[in-house]
Amino acid sequence: MSTISTTPRTSVRHASPAGKPAPRKNRETQRKKAANVGFAILAIIVFVASIFPVYWMINTSFLPSSLIRGTDLHFFPTPDVFTLNNYVSAWTDTSRAPLPPAMGNSIMVTFFTLVIAMVFGFLASLAVTRFRFTGRRAFIIAILVVQMIPGEAMMISIFRIIDGWQMLNTIVGLGIVYVSGVLPFTIWTLRGFVNGVPAELEEAAMIDGCSRGRAFWKITFPLLAPGLVATGVFAFIQAWNEFVMALIIMNRPESMTLPVWLRTFQQATQATNWGALMAGSVIIAIPVVVFFLIVQGRMTGGLVSGAVKG
């Protein structure tokens, strides 16, 4: 009679002999490291390709015209060729429109656009987000439709309207055109930020004794400030760099903005002064860089918070 053994069977795991491939986990780790290295190299290539035109503009602005037009490349302005004459020429040359009035016009029209667009965009975004009124949906759809229409398709109409209002060659006339172009995007973007701040926060503050106005300024507005900064960056860049409408509306030399002033370096009867042109481009870019350095912290927070809920 055979006996049944009750001893449990144990599986013996043999060690893999030497020379076999690494385990799957190690292979996945190596693939991730290789992918990270590849993405890092690609990011460096994209960064260099993006920053090189800016570097070349700055480098060229410090070189004399003879070297700029020559066949030899100079990647660095060595002390023996370094010059500031291009900046002096861009600032003081009397053969073209002067730089200081153009700088003042750009600053004023940008400030006008930024303030008006932020005030009206903020109030409109609050209205369409926190209140229900007749025509609200149609207003939101109209904002989307207006953004789809290119500004170049309305150049003649805009010119005739501004001319009829006798606002050609005025800061207010150009500012109105810029505000009309920036405002739809501003309202739509700020609507997403306002949507991300619960109205219950204001209600809780009102229960604690705050008035509606004080609850808004003490609770809601600080939370919306990053969104205002992020949207203001768009309005600033649009107003500072816009060229076509400024060329049409500001057609007098003393009324030019900086992008239109930069165009005066290229003339049909004279050779282009590339050194002064690059120096003028650097001068135009400096306020943008300063503005970004001031608002970069708020702008990053605003972009992240606006991506969470809209």
Side-chain angles (χ1 to χ4, degrees), residues 118-134:
M118 288 296 98
V119 171
F120 284 92
F122 182 56
L123 295 177
S125 63
L126 285 175
V128 298
T129 304
R130 295 294 175 86
F131 302 99
R132 298 295 181 267
F133 53 89
T134 305

mmCIF file with all atom_site columns, all heavy atoms in Angstrom, residues 118-134:
data_model
loop_
_atom_site.group_PDB
_atom_site.id
_atom_site.type_symbol
_atom_site.label_atom_id
_atom_site.label_alt_id
_atom_site.label_comp_id
_atom_site.label_asym_id
_atom_site.label_entity_id
_atom_site.label_seq_id
_atom_site.pdbx_PDB_ins_code
_atom_site.Cartn_x
_atom_site.Cartn_y
_atom_site.Cartn_z
_atom_site.occupancy
_atom_site.B_iso_or_equiv
_atom_site.pdbx_formal_charge
_atom_site.auth_seq_id
_atom_site.auth_comp_id
_atom_site.auth_asym_id
_atom_site.auth_atom_id
_atom_site.pdbx_PDB_model_num
ATOM 1   N N   . MET A 1 118 ? -6.853  95.927  -20.167 1.00 0.00 ? 118 MET A N   1
ATOM 2   C CA  . MET A 1 118 ? -6.943  95.222  -18.898 1.00 0.00 ? 118 MET A CA  1
ATOM 3   C C   . MET A 1 118 ? -8.208  95.606  -18.134 1.00 0.00 ? 118 MET A C   1
ATOM 4   O O   . MET A 1 118 ? -8.897  94.751  -17.566 1.00 0.00 ? 118 MET A O   1
ATOM 5   C CB  . MET A 1 118 ? -5.707  95.520  -18.043 1.00 0.00 ? 118 MET A CB  1
ATOM 6   C CG  . MET A 1 118 ? -4.416  94.871  -18.532 1.00 0.00 ? 118 MET A CG  1
ATOM 7   S SD  . MET A 1 118 ? -4.461  93.068  -18.493 1.00 0.00 ? 118 MET A SD  1
ATOM 8   C CE  . MET A 1 118 ? -4.873  92.713  -20.196 1.00 0.00 ? 118 MET A CE  1
ATOM 9   N N   . VAL A 1 119 ? -8.548  96.895  -18.111 1.00 0.00 ? 119 VAL A N   1
ATOM 10  C CA  . VAL A 1 119 ? -9.727  97.356  -17.358 1.00 0.00 ? 119 VAL A CA  1
ATOM 11  C C   . VAL A 1 119 ? -11.003 96.781  -17.977 1.00 0.00 ? 119 VAL A C   1
ATOM 12  O O   . VAL A 1 119 ? -11.813 96.130  -17.289 1.00 0.00 ? 119 VAL A O   1
ATOM 13  C CB  . VAL A 1 119 ? -9.775  98.891  -17.314 1.00 0.00 ? 119 VAL A CB  1
ATOM 14  C CG1 . VAL A 1 119 ? -11.102 99.366  -16.720 1.00 0.00 ? 119 VAL A CG1 1
ATOM 15  C CG2 . VAL A 1 119 ? -8.615  99.435  -16.490 1.00 0.00 ? 119 VAL A CG2 1
ATOM 16  N N   . PHE A 1 120 ? -11.207 97.009  -19.271 1.00 0.00 ? 120 PHE A N   1
ATOM 17  C CA  . PHE A 1 120 ? -12.437 96.548  -19.906 1.00 0.00 ? 120 PHE A CA  1
ATOM 18  C C   . PHE A 1 120 ? -12.473 95.031  -20.026 1.00 0.00 ? 120 PHE A C   1
ATOM 19  O O   . PHE A 1 120 ? -13.544 94.415  -19.878 1.00 0.00 ? 120 PHE A O   1
ATOM 20  C CB  . PHE A 1 120 ? -12.585 97.194  -21.290 1.00 0.00 ? 120 PHE A CB  1
ATOM 21  C CG  . PHE A 1 120 ? -13.031 98.624  -21.238 1.00 0.00 ? 120 PHE A CG  1
ATOM 22  C CD1 . PHE A 1 120 ? -12.111 99.659  -21.201 1.00 0.00 ? 120 PHE A CD1 1
ATOM 23  C CD2 . PHE A 1 120 ? -14.378 98.949  -21.206 1.00 0.00 ? 120 PHE A CD2 1
ATOM 24  C CE1 . PHE A 1 120 ? -12.515 100.984 -21.155 1.00 0.00 ? 120 PHE A CE1 1
ATOM 25  C CE2 . PHE A 1 120 ? -14.797 100.273 -21.153 1.00 0.00 ? 120 PHE A CE2 1
ATOM 26  C CZ  . PHE A 1 120 ? -13.854 101.295 -21.128 1.00 0.00 ? 120 PHE A CZ  1
ATOM 27  N N   . GLY A 1 121 ? -11.335 94.407  -20.295 1.00 0.00 ? 121 GLY A N   1
ATOM 28  C CA  . GLY A 1 121 ? -11.311 92.945  -20.367 1.00 0.00 ? 121 GLY A CA  1
ATOM 29  C C   . GLY A 1 121 ? -11.623 92.299  -19.039 1.00 0.00 ? 121 GLY A C   1
ATOM 30  O O   . GLY A 1 121 ? -12.336 91.294  -18.971 1.00 0.00 ? 121 GLY A O   1
ATOM 31  N N   . PHE A 1 122 ? -11.102 92.876  -17.960 1.00 0.00 ? 122 PHE A N   1
ATOM 32  C CA  . PHE A 1 122 ? -11.350 92.329  -16.631 1.00 0.00 ? 122 PHE A CA  1
ATOM 33  C C   . PHE A 1 122 ? -12.821 92.457  -16.253 1.00 0.00 ? 122 PHE A C   1
ATOM 34  O O   . PHE A 1 122 ? -13.445 91.502  -15.764 1.00 0.00 ? 122 PHE A O   1
ATOM 35  C CB  . PHE A 1 122 ? -10.460 93.048  -15.623 1.00 0.00 ? 122 PHE A CB  1
ATOM 36  C CG  . PHE A 1 122 ? -10.583 92.540  -14.225 1.00 0.00 ? 122 PHE A CG  1
ATOM 37  C CD1 . PHE A 1 122 ? -10.370 91.202  -13.929 1.00 0.00 ? 122 PHE A CD1 1
ATOM 38  C CD2 . PHE A 1 122 ? -10.920 93.392  -13.191 1.00 0.00 ? 122 PHE A CD2 1
ATOM 39  C CE1 . PHE A 1 122 ? -10.489 90.729  -12.644 1.00 0.00 ? 122 PHE A CE1 1
ATOM 40  C CE2 . PHE A 1 122 ? -11.035 92.928  -11.899 1.00 0.00 ? 122 PHE A CE2 1
ATOM 41  C CZ  . PHE A 1 122 ? -10.825 91.592  -11.624 1.00 0.00 ? 122 PHE A CZ  1
ATOM 42  N N   . LEU A 1 123 ? -13.389 93.633  -16.475 1.00 0.00 ? 123 LEU A N   1
ATOM 43  C CA  . LEU A 1 123 ? -14.803 93.834  -16.137 1.00 0.00 ? 123 LEU A CA  1
ATOM 44  C C   . LEU A 1 123 ? -15.707 92.943  -16.989 1.00 0.00 ? 123 LEU A C   1
ATOM 45  O O   . LEU A 1 123 ? -16.680 92.360  -16.485 1.00 0.00 ? 123 LEU A O   1
ATOM 46  C CB  . LEU A 1 123 ? -15.171 95.308  -16.332 1.00 0.00 ? 123 LEU A CB  1
ATOM 47  C CG  . LEU A 1 123 ? -14.464 96.311  -15.403 1.00 0.00 ? 123 LEU A CG  1
ATOM 48  C CD1 . LEU A 1 123 ? -14.873 97.727  -15.751 1.00 0.00 ? 123 LEU A CD1 1
ATOM 49  C CD2 . LEU A 1 123 ? -14.757 96.001  -13.944 1.00 0.00 ? 123 LEU A CD2 1
ATOM 50  N N   . ALA A 1 124 ? -15.395 92.809  -18.286 1.00 0.00 ? 124 ALA A N   1
ATOM 51  C CA  . ALA A 1 124 ? -16.221 91.967  -19.151 1.00 0.00 ? 124 ALA A CA  1
ATOM 52  C C   . ALA A 1 124 ? -16.107 90.502  -18.764 1.00 0.00 ? 124 ALA A C   1
ATOM 53  O O   . ALA A 1 124 ? -17.101 89.763  -18.786 1.00 0.00 ? 124 ALA A O   1
ATOM 54  C CB  . ALA A 1 124 ? -15.809 92.167  -20.614 1.00 0.00 ? 124 ALA A CB  1
ATOM 55  N N   . SER A 1 125 ? -14.911 90.050  -18.407 1.00 0.00 ? 125 SER A N   1
ATOM 56  C CA  . SER A 1 125 ? -14.751 88.648  -17.994 1.00 0.00 ? 125 SER A CA  1
ATOM 57  C C   . SER A 1 125 ? -15.507 88.359  -16.702 1.00 0.00 ? 125 SER A C   1
ATOM 58  O O   . SER A 1 125 ? -16.090 87.281  -16.534 1.00 0.00 ? 125 SER A O   1
ATOM 59  C CB  . SER A 1 125 ? -13.264 88.328  -17.828 1.00 0.00 ? 125 SER A CB  1
ATOM 60  O OG  . SER A 1 125 ? -12.686 89.108  -16.794 1.00 0.00 ? 125 SER A OG  1
ATOM 61  N N   . LEU A 1 126 ? -15.528 89.319  -15.772 1.00 0.00 ? 126 LEU A N   1
ATOM 62  C CA  . LEU A 1 126 ? -16.325 89.141  -14.562 1.00 0.00 ? 126 LEU A CA  1
ATOM 63  C C   . LEU A 1 126 ? -17.813 89.059  -14.888 1.00 0.00 ? 126 LEU A C   1
ATOM 64  O O   . LEU A 1 126 ? -18.551 88.236  -14.315 1.00 0.00 ? 126 LEU A O   1
ATOM 65  C CB  . LEU A 1 126 ? -16.073 90.302  -13.597 1.00 0.00 ? 126 LEU A CB  1
ATOM 66  C CG  . LEU A 1 126 ? -14.740 90.316  -12.835 1.00 0.00 ? 126 LEU A CG  1
ATOM 67  C CD1 . LEU A 1 126 ? -14.614 91.598  -12.030 1.00 0.00 ? 126 LEU A CD1 1
ATOM 68  C CD2 . LEU A 1 126 ? -14.638 89.105  -11.915 1.00 0.00 ? 126 LEU A CD2 1
ATOM 69  N N   . ALA A 1 127 ? -18.254 89.898  -15.822 1.00 0.00 ? 127 ALA A N   1
ATOM 70  C CA  . ALA A 1 127 ? -19.679 89.924  -16.167 1.00 0.00 ? 127 ALA A CA  1
ATOM 71  C C   . ALA A 1 127 ? -20.125 88.600  -16.775 1.00 0.00 ? 127 ALA A C   1
ATOM 72  O O   . ALA A 1 127 ? -21.158 88.040  -16.386 1.00 0.00 ? 127 ALA A O   1
ATOM 73  C CB  . ALA A 1 127 ? -19.961 91.082  -17.125 1.00 0.00 ? 127 ALA A CB  1
ATOM 74  N N   . VAL A 1 128 ? -19.356 88.085  -17.740 1.00 0.00 ? 128 VAL A N   1
ATOM 75  C CA  . VAL A 1 128 ? -19.793 86.865  -18.431 1.00 0.00 ? 128 VAL A CA  1
ATOM 76  C C   . VAL A 1 128 ? -19.580 85.619  -17.588 1.00 0.00 ? 128 VAL A C   1
ATOM 77  O O   . VAL A 1 128 ? -20.145 84.555  -17.893 1.00 0.00 ? 128 VAL A O   1
ATOM 78  C CB  . VAL A 1 128 ? -19.052 86.708  -19.779 1.00 0.00 ? 128 VAL A CB  1
ATOM 79  C CG1 . VAL A 1 128 ? -19.357 87.869  -20.702 1.00 0.00 ? 128 VAL A CG1 1
ATOM 80  C CG2 . VAL A 1 128 ? -17.553 86.560  -19.568 1.00 0.00 ? 128 VAL A CG2 1
ATOM 81  N N   . THR A 1 129 ? -18.786 85.716  -16.509 1.00 0.00 ? 129 THR A N   1
ATOM 82  C CA  . THR A 1 129 ? -18.521 84.547  -15.669 1.00 0.00 ? 129 THR A CA  1
ATOM 83  C C   . THR A 1 129 ? -19.420 84.498  -14.442 1.00 0.00 ? 129 THR A C   1
ATOM 84  O O   . THR A 1 129 ? -19.974 83.443  -14.108 1.00 0.00 ? 129 THR A O   1
ATOM 85  C CB  . THR A 1 129 ? -17.048 84.539  -15.223 1.00 0.00 ? 129 THR A CB  1
ATOM 86  O OG1 . THR A 1 129 ? -16.202 84.592  -16.365 1.00 0.00 ? 129 THR A OG1 1
ATOM 87  C CG2 . THR A 1 129 ? -16.738 83.274  -14.434 1.00 0.00 ? 129 THR A CG2 1
ATOM 88  N N   . ARG A 1 130 ? -19.625 85.623  -13.784 1.00 0.00 ? 130 ARG A N   1
ATOM 89  C CA  . ARG A 1 130 ? -20.338 85.619  -12.505 1.00 0.00 ? 130 ARG A CA  1
ATOM 90  C C   . ARG A 1 130 ? -21.815 85.990  -12.637 1.00 0.00 ? 130 ARG A C   1
ATOM 91  O O   . ARG A 1 130 ? -22.556 85.813  -11.662 1.00 0.00 ? 130 ARG A O   1
ATOM 92  C CB  . ARG A 1 130 ? -19.667 86.613  -11.551 1.00 0.00 ? 130 ARG A CB  1
ATOM 93  C CG  . ARG A 1 130 ? -18.238 86.226  -11.177 1.00 0.00 ? 130 ARG A CG  1
ATOM 94  C CD  . ARG A 1 130 ? -18.225 84.948  -10.365 1.00 0.00 ? 130 ARG A CD  1
ATOM 95  N NE  . ARG A 1 130 ? -16.886 84.475  -10.088 1.00 0.00 ? 130 ARG A NE  1
ATOM 96  C CZ  . ARG A 1 130 ? -16.143 84.879  -9.070  1.00 0.00 ? 130 ARG A CZ  1
ATOM 97  N NH1 . ARG A 1 130 ? -16.607 85.805  -8.250  1.00 0.00 ? 130 ARG A NH1 1
ATOM 98  N NH2 . ARG A 1 130 ? -14.945 84.374  -8.863  1.00 0.00 ? 130 ARG A NH2 1
ATOM 99  N N   . PHE A 1 131 ? -22.261 86.492  -13.775 1.00 0.00 ? 131 PHE A N   1
ATOM 100 C CA  . PHE A 1 131 ? -23.646 86.935  -13.916 1.00 0.00 ? 131 PHE A CA  1
ATOM 101 C C   . PHE A 1 131 ? -24.299 86.235  -15.106 1.00 0.00 ? 131 PHE A C   1
ATOM 102 O O   . PHE A 1 131 ? -23.636 85.864  -16.076 1.00 0.00 ? 131 PHE A O   1
ATOM 103 C CB  . PHE A 1 131 ? -23.724 88.458  -14.101 1.00 0.00 ? 131 PHE A CB  1
ATOM 104 C CG  . PHE A 1 131 ? -23.112 89.241  -12.976 1.00 0.00 ? 131 PHE A CG  1
ATOM 105 C CD1 . PHE A 1 131 ? -21.817 89.748  -13.091 1.00 0.00 ? 131 PHE A CD1 1
ATOM 106 C CD2 . PHE A 1 131 ? -23.807 89.455  -11.804 1.00 0.00 ? 131 PHE A CD2 1
ATOM 107 C CE1 . PHE A 1 131 ? -21.240 90.462  -12.058 1.00 0.00 ? 131 PHE A CE1 1
ATOM 108 C CE2 . PHE A 1 131 ? -23.233 90.171  -10.761 1.00 0.00 ? 131 PHE A CE2 1
ATOM 109 C CZ  . PHE A 1 131 ? -21.946 90.670  -10.883 1.00 0.00 ? 131 PHE A CZ  1
ATOM 110 N N   . ARG A 1 132 ? -25.588 86.055  -14.992 1.00 0.00 ? 132 ARG A N   1
ATOM 111 C CA  . ARG A 1 132 ? -26.394 85.480  -16.075 1.00 0.00 ? 132 ARG A CA  1
ATOM 112 C C   . ARG A 1 132 ? -27.321 86.562  -16.596 1.00 0.00 ? 132 ARG A C   1
ATOM 113 O O   . ARG A 1 132 ? -28.139 87.094  -15.857 1.00 0.00 ? 132 ARG A O   1
ATOM 114 C CB  . ARG A 1 132 ? -27.212 84.284  -15.562 1.00 0.00 ? 132 ARG A CB  1
ATOM 115 C CG  . ARG A 1 132 ? -26.364 83.127  -15.051 1.00 0.00 ? 132 ARG A CG  1
ATOM 116 C CD  . ARG A 1 132 ? -25.560 82.500  -16.180 1.00 0.00 ? 132 ARG A CD  1
ATOM 117 N NE  . ARG A 1 132 ? -24.773 81.383  -15.718 1.00 0.00 ? 132 ARG A NE  1
ATOM 118 C CZ  . ARG A 1 132 ? -23.506 81.455  -15.316 1.00 0.00 ? 132 ARG A CZ  1
ATOM 119 N NH1 . ARG A 1 132 ? -22.900 82.641  -15.317 1.00 0.00 ? 132 ARG A NH1 1
ATOM 120 N NH2 . ARG A 1 132 ? -22.856 80.393  -14.921 1.00 0.00 ? 132 ARG A NH2 1
ATOM 121 N N   . PHE A 1 133 ? -27.193 86.906  -17.866 1.00 0.00 ? 133 PHE A N   1
ATOM 122 C CA  . PHE A 1 133 ? -27.992 87.965  -18.458 1.00 0.00 ? 133 PHE A CA  1
ATOM 123 C C   . PHE A 1 133 ? -28.342 87.588  -19.888 1.00 0.00 ? 133 PHE A C   1
ATOM 124 O O   . PHE A 1 133 ? -27.714 86.707  -20.503 1.00 0.00 ? 133 PHE A O   1
ATOM 125 C CB  . PHE A 1 133 ? -27.240 89.302  -18.422 1.00 0.00 ? 133 PHE A CB  1
ATOM 126 C CG  . PHE A 1 133 ? -25.866 89.244  -19.030 1.00 0.00 ? 133 PHE A CG  1
ATOM 127 C CD1 . PHE A 1 133 ? -25.675 89.478  -20.384 1.00 0.00 ? 133 PHE A CD1 1
ATOM 128 C CD2 . PHE A 1 133 ? -24.758 88.960  -18.233 1.00 0.00 ? 133 PHE A CD2 1
ATOM 129 C CE1 . PHE A 1 133 ? -24.406 89.422  -20.942 1.00 0.00 ? 133 PHE A CE1 1
ATOM 130 C CE2 . PHE A 1 133 ? -23.490 88.902  -18.789 1.00 0.00 ? 133 PHE A CE2 1
ATOM 131 C CZ  . PHE A 1 133 ? -23.318 89.139  -20.137 1.00 0.00 ? 133 PHE A CZ  1
ATOM 132 N N   . THR A 1 134 ? -29.336 88.269  -20.419 1.00 0.00 ? 134 THR A N   1
ATOM 133 C CA  . THR A 1 134 ? -29.780 88.003  -21.783 1.00 0.00 ? 134 THR A CA  1
ATOM 134 C C   . THR A 1 134 ? -28.680 88.392  -22.783 1.00 0.00 ? 134 THR A C   1
ATOM 135 O O   . THR A 1 134 ? -28.135 89.483  -22.724 1.00 0.00 ? 134 THR A O   1
ATOM 136 C CB  . THR A 1 134 ? -31.060 88.811  -22.102 1.00 0.00 ? 134 THR A CB  1
ATOM 137 O OG1 . THR A 1 134 ? -32.053 88.506  -21.123 1.00 0.00 ? 134 THR A OG1 1
ATOM 138 C CG2 . THR A 1 134 ? -31.571 88.481  -23.490 1.00 0.00 ? 134 THR A CG2 1
#
